[in-house]
Amino acid sequence: MKKILPLFLLITSFQVLAQSIQSPSEFLGYELGTEFTRHHQVVDYYRYLASAAPDRVKLQEYGKTNERRPLLLAYVSSAENMRNLESIRQAQLESTSGRGKADKAIVWLSYNVHGNESVSTEASMQTIYTLLTEKRDYLENTVVIIDPCINPDGRDRYVNWYNSFKNTPHQVNPDSKEHHEGWLSGRANHYMFDLNRDWAWLTQVESRQRLKMYNQWMPHIHVDFHEQGVDNPYFFAPSAEPFHEVITPFQRSFQETLGRNHARYFDANGWFYFTKERFDLFYPSYGDTYPTYNGAIGMTYEQGGSGRAGLGVITSTGDTLTLKDRIAHHFTTGISTVEVAAQNHTTLNEEFRKFYQNKNFTYKSYVLNGNTDHKRALTQLLDQHGIRYGWGTAAQAKGFVYATGRNGTVQTGSESLIVSTDQTKGTLVKVLFEPDARLSDSLTYDITAWSLPYAYGLDALASTTPVRTSGEMRSTSFPTPPRDSYAYVTDWNSMEDARFLADLLKAGIRVRTAHMPFSLNGKSFGRGSLIITRADNSSPGKTERLFGIFGKYAHKEITAVSTGYVDKGKDFGSSDVKMIPFAKVGVLSGDPTSSLRFGEIWHFFEQQLHYPLTVLDAEYFGRVDLADYDVLVLPDGRGYRYFFSESNLSKIRDWVKGGGRLIAMGNAVGSLEGKEGFGIKTARSNNGEKEEQEEPRLYEDTQRERMKDQITGAIFRTKVDPTHPLAFGYGDTYFSLKLGNDSYQYLNLGTVAYIEGTARPVAGFAGSEAQKRISNSLIFGVENSGRGQVVYMVDNPLFRGFWENGKLFFANALFMLD
Ligand SMILES: [Zn+2]
């Protein structure tokens, strides 16, 4: 009896424990899928689980969003694994050296990266609950890490909007308002960035905080849960071509293993699905590719639904798609993923270690020379990725030279940044740095070029032999310049310089800029160099503020000079040395603009430049007095045809003539064509020659034929006029990321960056017809009109916030034109 009793008690208490965990429906007070759960309630449920099953769930708040919502990770496993969680993590990290004996599968499930793909977070709750109860045996050899909501700001934006406009009961008629989000949907984050394009660039606070956690775990499997249009059947692995060439045979085959297991459940339920189409593995900034380039099986799962679906909607086949259906599908693939991981934990560990052994890439080292600030910005990104780098020794390196597109030699030195592929993150290094990623199929979902040397404006060489590093960190700190100097001079060629200027202007410091190069005290200064004179800033308190800012920018060389009499060039009192006014900036938002493109500008001002902007919505633009603004930015967007009514147009035109500066981007440029006062003109294709009749084409080739006209994000070499204020800080070449085939003629005056001659991408895909079309076309230009200017930005230097070297063009448009 005595021996039986404890066992009996144990069973009873176990049952009590299992029963005592409330399901999401029990906890929330409504059946899961009948309401959308706001983020704070989701957080409450996860906190509840961590307190109800503390031996098997651990919760970690890893950060906060822009709107201060918490970001959470839940770790779920067996009680024994949870007791050893830290040693399991250490063992997993040891695997990234290609060694060790780790044998637990680490599965990371990420939900709701797109806020209005709102089923995901709901499904996450059902998934974790089931892993804690019915499917707990999966967790003996598996640790599951759940991020219930990557994008809480976007999700709550959607859920609050939906709750505000839904009918009661909900209306399944797709015409109903509840199926039509407005201009700003819930998909993106606070700054309207797409977080599923940001894994590699880490421009957003959510991405940066998440990646820190990711690098602490380096999971075997990462799933990004999404939704697509309401009429689409479910998509799961295997992914579509193109696959990046670094993806290993095992990574491919395990996607197949997972897909087949999911298919088993979907077949049993009679659910539709598709695989191997549409969602490819190439662009490195996705939640499937980024983990893949870090050795994981990275996948996207796509349910039909998203912001259109609400709690229920009638699809094109006349069926009703409900939130409950959507939960069931995402729940099924989530659980099935963990099941497959549990069954294959040994293989997953062995193969993961193999991924990190013998990396034998063509290019062994990347050598980067150029502006210190650009290198510094790049190393900040590399640090966040856990990519190691070193500094060169006095030597020569041979290899592919990015600037010329040919093999050559460069001198290395202690200023040369060296990044090797022979390191844990070597695969990621290859993907992010190689001159041109090999594309197995041009039909892809996203941009096809992103090479970091071009993006950061650095002179690069890719070497097939390892380049030696000294291992010494360069010191980048300069002593504070002496007070009471005649003036202080500093260079102008980076975003960091623009931030420095923004800080000075905000502090009321008067800053001048040299429109001509000059030399003084044996030092040469280029166009755009900033000059801060004592005479301009003599009022009380200014010196303190000025030196406060100098202290903040100790990594920036500030030269103190005792005279304004230059050795060469124009003296500081010359009319070629101009005062930089504090520009009051208005940015158009709302319907004519794309919310993503608007968001990039918003983020640029607030989080990159740290400079105030006023957002002017198109809805009341007609009532805004433009005289209050020095600069007006029109972000790219599709709705300008309606926005450019005669009254809005004449208002803008008069304001420009009176001294305003208009920055028109993307489609705003094209929409100004033919309007009085604006000289922009589309470049005519095929030089007016008679077009030859095309051969008839097969219907099945339609999509590929269309690719001839397209540029899906490719890098082009452009020529730059470095004497123009819009190009201050640049040399005579700029590598532009082109996102489309829009093509405009050169301006009469003010053609600042342009494609000269035949356009061939230096990296990425551009269709043959598109290449012809954009030959001899404008990239950036300035047209004078009355006392003001119109800046045309055909390409977008702020795209996704990652094209570091383009941002100075935008800063020049704000500060340098006169
Ligand atoms: Zn999505």
Side-chain angles (χ1 to χ4, degrees):
M1 280 296 280
K2 270 187 180 176
K3 277 183 181 174
I4 294 165
L5 187 65
L7 184 65
F8 172 73
L9 273 178
L10 193 70
I11 292 166
T12 321
S13 65
F14 170 76
Q15 280 171 341
V16 167
L17 192 70
Q19 280 165 0
S20 72
I21 297 181
Q22 290 180 22
S23 70
S25 301
E26 286 163 338
F27 180 84
L28 296 165
Y30 50 82
E31 195 187 348
L32 199 67
T34 60
E35 300 274 351
F36 282 111
T37 312
R38 280 179 290 156
H39 186 252
H40 75 91
Q41 297 172 285
V42 176
V43 172
D44 287 349
Y45 184 61
Y46 276 85
R47 288 205 173 121
Y48 157 74
L49 290 178
S51 66
D55 55 334
R56 292 179 295 139
V57 183
K58 193 186 141 218
L59 216 57
Q60 183 178 23
E61 183 177 325
Y62 66 87
K64 284 213 167 17
T65 65
N66 289 296
E67 296 173 17
R68 305 206 58 72
R69 290 186 178 86
L71 294 162
L72 287 186
L73 287 180
Y75 301 85
V76 199
S77 195
S78 68
E80 195 194 335
N81 288 340
M82 291 304 285
R83 275 195 302 275
N84 301 318
L85 196 60
E86 180 54 20
S87 55
I88 291 172
R89 187 182 76 81
Q90 296 288 354
Q92 177 66 5
L93 288 188
E94 195 191 354
S95 295
T96 64
S97 66
R99 294 185 300 275
K101 292 197 280 285
D103 73 337
K104 305 293 182 208
I106 314 293
V107 179
W108 186 305
L109 305 177
S110 285
Y111 293 91
N112 235 132
V113 59
H114 291 144
N116 62 0
E117 296 172 7
S118 49
V119 62
S120 298
T121 293
E122 310 287 343
S124 86
M125 292 189 279
Q126 190 62 38
T127 305
I128 189 172
Y129 172 73
T130 305
L131 288 173
L132 286 171
T133 52
E134 198 188 323
K135 299 293 185 191
R136 56 188 295 170
D137 53 317
Y138 288 176
L139 300 181
E140 244 168 70
N141 291 303
T142 307
V143 174
V144 180
I145 304 171
I146 292 181
D147 190 329
C149 190
I150 287 187
N151 178 13
D153 292 349
R155 179 184 164 83
D156 266 6
R157 186 193 298 136
Y158 171 74
V159 170
N160 290 333
W161 170 84
Y162 182 80
N163 287 339
S164 306
F165 288 103
K166 75 182 271 281
N167 282 135
T168 302
H170 66 269
Q171 174 58 267
V172 294
N173 179 348
D175 288 341
S176 173
K177 166 97 176 165
E178 67 191 76
H179 304 297
H180 297 269
E181 291 178 274
W183 173 73
L184 177 52
S185 74
R187 177 181 168 95
N189 78 345
H190 171 79
Y191 279 109
M192 308 186 194
F193 268 65
D194 185 332
L195 294 179
N196 193 33
R197 304 291 184 277
D198 195 46
W199 279 75
W201 321 133
L202 301 174
T203 66
Q204 299 301 299
V205 66
E206 293 89 346
S207 313
R208 287 198 289 269
Q209 297 174 106
R210 184 180 64 252
L211 197 72
K212 222 178 258 175
M213 304 313 300
Y214 188 93
N215 279 332
Q216 286 174 21
W217 276 95
M218 301 295 285
H220 296 116
I221 295 179
H222 181 266
V223 183
D224 214 26
F225 288 88
H226 286 265
E227 287 190 271
Q228 46 184 339
V230 289
D231 294 323
N232 290 290
Y234 201 96
F235 169 85
F236 49 71
S239 304
E241 293 288 342
F243 274 49
H244 197 287
E245 60 173 325
V246 299
I247 296 170
T248 65
F250 173 74
Q251 286 176 313
R252 282 176 178 258
S253 75
F254 205 76
Q255 287 218 348
E256 184 85 29
T257 308
L258 283 153
R260 286 193 184 276
N261 202 57
H262 303 342
R264 220 158 43 88
Y265 293 108
F266 275 58
D267 290 342
N269 283 295
W271 296 335
F272 284 101
Y273 55 89
F274 67 101
T275 65
K276 302 182 281 286
E277 290 177 68
R278 198 172 317 158
F279 301 101
D280 61 65
L281 289 175
F282 194 62
Y283 175 71
S285 221
Y286 286 132
D288 54 7
T289 46
Y290 186 88
T292 301
Y293 303 153
N294 281 278
I297 312 301
M299 295 171 294
T300 184
Y301 294 169
E302 299 268 353
Q303 164 62 37
S306 76
R308 276 290 166 95
L311 291 174
V313 68
I314 295 175
T315 67
S316 64
T317 51
D319 299 320
T320 302
L321 174 70
T322 66
L323 182 58
K324 280 191 197 171
D325 300 330
R326 293 151 65 199
I327 292 172
H329 302 161
H330 264 350
F331 163 75
T332 299
T333 53
I335 293 290
S336 167
T337 302
V338 179
E339 180 186 26
V340 175
Q343 287 162 357
N344 295 278
H345 67 100
T346 308
T347 314
L348 280 170
N349 274 285
E350 284 167 0
E351 292 290 340
F352 190 73
R353 282 189 288 269
K354 270 194 219 159
F355 180 92
Y356 284 99
Q357 293 159 2
N358 330 310
K359 290 207 174 72
N360 194 13
F361 299 122
T362 310
Y363 295 123
K364 305 290 189 257
S365 296
Y366 294 93
V367 178
L368 301 129
N369 287 318
N371 177 270
T372 307
D373 292 345
H374 294 196
K375 281 184 284 191
R376 189 166 173 270
L378 180 57
T379 57
Q380 284 170 351
L381 180 70
L382 299 182
D383 287 341
Q384 293 176 69
H385 284 297
I387 292 173
R388 294 193 315 271
Y389 49 86
W391 303 94
T393 57
Q396 281 202 330
K398 274 190 225 160
F400 177 87
V401 180
Y402 287 59
T404 60
R406 284 190 288 274
N407 282 332
T409 308
V410 297
Q411 197 64 37
T412 63
S414 62
E415 300 272 302
S416 305
L417 174 63
I418 315 285
V419 188
S420 161
T421 52
D422 182 22
Q423 62 170 305
T424 306
K425 296 272 187 168
T427 304
L428 189 61
V429 170
K430 173 190 159 60
V431 171
L432 297 180
F433 280 84
E434 66 188 335
D436 193 8
R438 205 165 64 84
L439 196 59
S440 63
D441 190 324
S442 54
L443 285 181
T444 172
Y445 201 70
D446 211 294
I447 64 171
T448 55
W450 50 76
S451 181
L452 288 179
Y454 296 120
Y456 279 76
L458 290 165
D459 295 326
L461 175 138
S463 168
T464 52
T465 52
V467 174
R468 252 174 42 134
T469 59
S470 68
E472 256 172 63
M473 281 292 289
R474 289 175 319 112
S475 159
T476 49
S477 196
F478 295 95
T480 311
R483 299 198 175 209
D484 298 324
S485 302
Y486 178 82
Y488 303 92
V489 187
T490 179
D491 65 353
W492 177 260
N493 27 35
S494 69
M495 242 331 260
E496 187 69 353
D497 297 338
R499 260 189 293 276
F500 174 69
L501 173 62
D503 272 353
L504 293 172
L505 294 176
K506 281 184 296 178
I509 310 290
R510 297 170 83 186
V511 185
R512 293 173 192 252
T513 179
H515 277 227
M516 301 291 279
F518 66 93
S519 58
L520 181 55
N521 293 352
K523 272 191 186 167
S524 305
F525 294 93
R527 289 187 167 89
S529 292
L530 305 178
I531 298 169
I532 305 147
T533 66
R534 195 176 61 208
D536 276 335
N537 295 289
S538 58
S539 63
K542 272 204 184 173
T543 311
E544 286 315 306
R545 293 207 295 276
L546 178 62
F547 276 79
I549 293 167
F550 284 172
K552 190 175 149 194
Y553 288 84
H555 52 276
K556 208 172 145 42
E557 188 173 11
I558 293 157
T559 306
V561 295
S562 56
T563 175
Y565 186 95
V566 301
D567 302 333
K568 232 159 89 187
K570 300 291 177 82
D571 293 330
F572 291 2
S574 159
S575 63
D576 279 323
V577 175
K578 299 179 198 274
M579 189 71 80
I580 301 175
F582 183 97
K584 265 202 83 182
V585 180
V587 179
L588 186 73
S589 76
D591 224 24
T593 73
S594 142
S595 60
L596 288 170
R597 303 290 87 86
F598 165 78
E600 286 158 1
I601 297 164
W602 182 16
H603 185 264
F604 173 83
F605 277 101
E606 286 186 358
Q607 299 296 329
Q608 301 176 51
L609 186 61
H610 309 139
Y611 191 83
L613 77 162
T614 303
V615 177
L616 308 170
D617 201 273
E619 232 171 83
Y620 58 83
F621 180 82
R623 300 194 297 277
V624 171
D625 184 359
L626 286 184
D628 291 342
Y629 301 91
D630 304 302
V631 175
L632 173 64
V633 185
L634 303 181
D636 187 13
R638 299 258 157 220
Y640 282 100
R641 207 184 320 164
Y642 304 102
F643 176 73
F644 286 142
S645 62
E646 199 36 58
S647 70
N648 278 348
L649 256 181
S650 62
K651 176 176 181 150
I652 292 171
R653 187 168 44 230
D654 293 348
W655 168 78
V656 170
K657 289 207 161 114
R661 185 176 312 151
L662 183 71
I663 303 178
M665 304 177 77
N667 279 304
V669 174
S671 307
L672 288 170
E673 182 172 4
K675 304 282 194 278
E676 187 199 325
F678 300 94
I680 192 78
K681 281 197 192 77
T682 298
R684 274 185 305 150
S685 53
N686 57 40
N687 306 317
E689 285 163 34
K690 183 169 172 284
E691 209 170 318
E692 281 188 31
Q693 190 167 317
E694 296 266 339
E695 294 279 312
R697 306 276 179 200
L698 284 182
Y699 172 71
E700 76 168 4
D701 292 337
T702 311
Q703 206 180 1
R704 284 184 190 281
E705 277 302 309
R706 265 191 217 135
M707 292 303 292
K708 281 188 178 176
D709 294 325
Q710 285 178 19
I711 295 171
T712 46
I715 300 168
F716 288 83
R717 180 195 314 273
T718 71
K719 287 203 77 163
V720 175
D721 169 5
T723 67
H724 196 289
L726 188 69
F728 281 178
Y730 289 90
D732 56 10
T733 303
Y734 167 69
F735 290 97
S736 191
L737 180 65
K738 254 198 132 26
L739 301 158
N741 62 9
D742 283 354
S743 175
Y744 300 96
Q745 296 176 20
Y746 300 158
L747 300 171
N748 279 339
L749 281 170
T751 296
V752 181
Y754 52 102
I755 292 179
E756 189 182 56
T758 314
R760 295 256 180 280
V762 297
F765 174 80
S768 53
E769 289 302 317
Q771 291 185 25
K772 280 186 212 160
R773 195 174 140 85
I774 62 161
S775 293
N776 296 312
S777 71
L778 182 75
I779 303 295
F780 304 130
V782 180
E783 179 179 34
N784 289 314
S785 175
R787 296 198 287 122
Q789 301 107 348
V790 183
V791 180
Y792 296 109
M793 292 194 151
V794 178
D795 288 358
N796 180 4
L798 306 184
F799 180 69
R800 294 181 187 165
F802 90 103
W803 204 257
E804 191 64 21
N805 193 36
K807 295 172 185 173
L808 194 62
F809 279 113
F810 200 90
N812 281 335
L814 298 174
F815 300 124
M816 290 295 165
L817 300 186
D818 74 316

